[in-house]
Amino acid sequence: MLGKIIQLVKRSDLIIEVLDAREPSLTRSKKIEQIVIKNDKKLLLVLNKGDLVPLWVLKSWKYYFKEEENRESVYVSSTSHLGTKKLRDTMKALLRGNKGVVAFIGYPKTGKSSIINALKGRHSAQTSAYPLEYGYTKSIQLFKIDNKIYAWDTPGIIPPDGNELEKIIRGYNVDLLEDPVKPAIELINRIIKASRESLKQAYGVDFTDPYDLLVKIALKRGWVYKSDKEPNIDMAAKTIIRDYHEGKITYYTLPPNLYRDDKSSSV
Ligand SMILES: Nc1nc2c(ncn2[C@@H]2O[C@H](COP(=O)(O)OP(=O)(O)OP(=O)(O)O)[C@@H](O)[C@H]2O)c(=O)[nH]1
Ligand SMILES: [Mg+2]
């Protein structure tokens, strides 16, 4: 897989790493960033799903990336079409107004395809498909953004790594999990730390602890085993993980040292 990423980086002028604005640190791939830097390519961080995070948090992350790493970032919500003009302008500026090819990379489910769709507009169409290799079912696709900019969309190019919690935050396929309950409980605990209210709202139930939330979701939706009428916790656990990626749960994490960029007012 690394070989393919290197190939892709080499044939692009700008690399956009798409992060989940709720978990910018955990959805960053230092490995990919090193490849980009080694190949002397420009890197832009995009915090997507910005609609799930307060504006001051998005600004704090932007400020943090700039201050700590001198790295440019843009925050957007691709599904609400917020910040997409700013992103387009930043891409153009980084390409210095020249023609260029931009590669969108990132862990699964961070919203790479949604961003490209938001940028494409109605009139430009998909231009070609570039098969990764013979027999590989997924493909890296090239899209036309405008007259000068083309974009590679990459599916599942970074395998979700790390511990169980990190893996699911990084988009590991829930259907492949042997036991979805344990990581779901870890995820719930992490979300509770930031916002217990968001889970209550998302599922319309109150709960005492993560396990109780899974039980209540299962019962509310009628997911019980026929034999003993016990709640199907596995199904509730998978649902929470899926909902998390589909952008139904709002919460945030903050940069290592809370950076508040009160001065900046532009979105
Ligand atoms: N709330 C919210 N949800 C979003 C946003 N962008 C994407 N999503 C949702 O996140 C999920 C994944 O989006 P995709 O665009 O398919 O993500 P991807 O990175 O292309 O995923 P892979 O191709 O599987 O790697 C979908 O359910 C989207 O609707 C956003 O800005 N806000
Ligand atoms: Mg995609």
Side-chain angles (χ1 to χ4, degrees):
M1 202 34 105
L2 223 53
K4 308 233 168 54
I5 298 172
I6 295 169
Q7 257 183 46
L8 183 84
V9 167
K10 280 189 193 297
R11 60 173 75 201
S12 306
D13 304 296
L14 165 66
I15 315 300
I16 291 187
E17 188 181 13
V18 180
L19 312 178
D20 186 325
R22 293 169 296 180
E23 292 282 2
S25 278
L26 285 187
T27 49
R28 264 183 102 174
S29 169
K30 287 283 155 67
K31 254 188 224 158
I32 304 286
E33 291 180 20
Q34 272 161 17
I35 293 173
V36 176
I37 291 160
K38 211 173 147 208
N39 282 275
D40 216 11
K41 301 286 178 166
K42 290 179 187 131
L43 176 71
L44 174 65
L45 303 179
V46 171
L47 285 87
N48 185 39
K49 309 196 184 180
D51 53 300
L52 306 174
V53 170
L55 185 59
W56 69 269
V57 175
L58 296 170
K59 287 184 177 179
S60 299
W61 278 104
K62 187 178 167 72
Y63 188 74
Y64 167 78
F65 288 135
K66 186 72 191 164
E67 289 298 301
E68 286 290 302
E69 302 180 30
N70 197 23
R71 184 144 318 288
E72 292 304 319
S73 66
V74 174
Y75 44 83
V76 300
S77 165
S78 57
T79 47
S80 318
H81 285 250
L82 294 171
T84 41
K85 182 176 183 305
K86 171 87 181 164
L87 173 57
R88 188 189 291 274
D89 291 346
T90 308
M91 286 162 62
K92 281 185 185 158
L94 288 170
L95 293 171
R96 298 208 168 89
N98 296 322
K99 280 192 172 173
V101 179
V102 182
F104 283 79
I105 55 174
Y107 281 112
K109 306 288 168 270
T110 46
K112 302 174 291 295
S113 302
S114 301
I115 295 177
I116 292 175
N117 277 331
L119 289 172
K120 264 192 321 169
R122 254 194 285 156
H123 302 295
S124 33
Q126 176 186 336
T127 53
S128 75
Y130 175 72
L132 278 172
E133 65 188 21
Y134 180 73
Y136 194 82
T137 50
K138 287 175 182 172
S139 63
I140 296 179
Q141 290 184 306
L142 190 62
F143 292 89
K144 187 175 179 178
I145 301 284
D146 63 22
N147 288 338
K148 287 188 167 175
I149 303 177
Y150 283 79
W152 294 114
D153 188 8
T154 65
I157 204 161
I158 314 179
D161 48 3
N163 63 34
E164 278 200 312
L165 177 66
E166 288 166 345
K167 265 190 192 156
I168 56 162
I169 285 176
R170 292 170 179 160
Y172 191 82
N173 185 345
V174 282
D175 293 319
L176 302 178
L177 287 172
E178 224 168 86
D179 171 22
V181 176
K182 207 168 141 252
I185 284 181
E186 284 189 41
L187 180 65
I188 296 167
N189 270 324
R190 191 170 173 89
I191 299 167
I192 287 175
K193 266 193 224 154
S195 170
R196 188 191 166 75
E197 214 32 54
S198 83
L199 286 168
K200 274 169 72 177
Q201 269 174 22
Y203 296 101
V205 293
D206 202 356
F207 57 95
T208 53
D209 58 38
Y211 193 82
D212 184 47
L213 175 61
L214 294 180
V215 170
K216 296 222 165 105
I217 291 173
L219 292 178
K220 190 171 177 189
R221 301 191 180 187
W223 297 334
V224 290
Y225 292 105
K226 278 199 186 112
S227 51
D228 53 10
K229 300 279 181 287
E230 282 295 309
N232 187 337
I233 305 300
D234 275 34
M235 213 147 143
K238 284 185 185 178
T239 299
I240 283 219
I241 298 172
R242 280 201 195 96
D243 288 350
Y244 173 79
H245 289 296
E246 284 170 14
K248 293 180 186 153
I249 298 171
T250 58
Y251 80 101
Y252 59 85
T253 51
L254 291 169
N257 308 305
L258 172 60
Y259 278 86
R260 231 183 220 271
D261 182 16
D262 289 328
K263 291 180 290 292
S264 154
S265 59
S266 65
V267 178

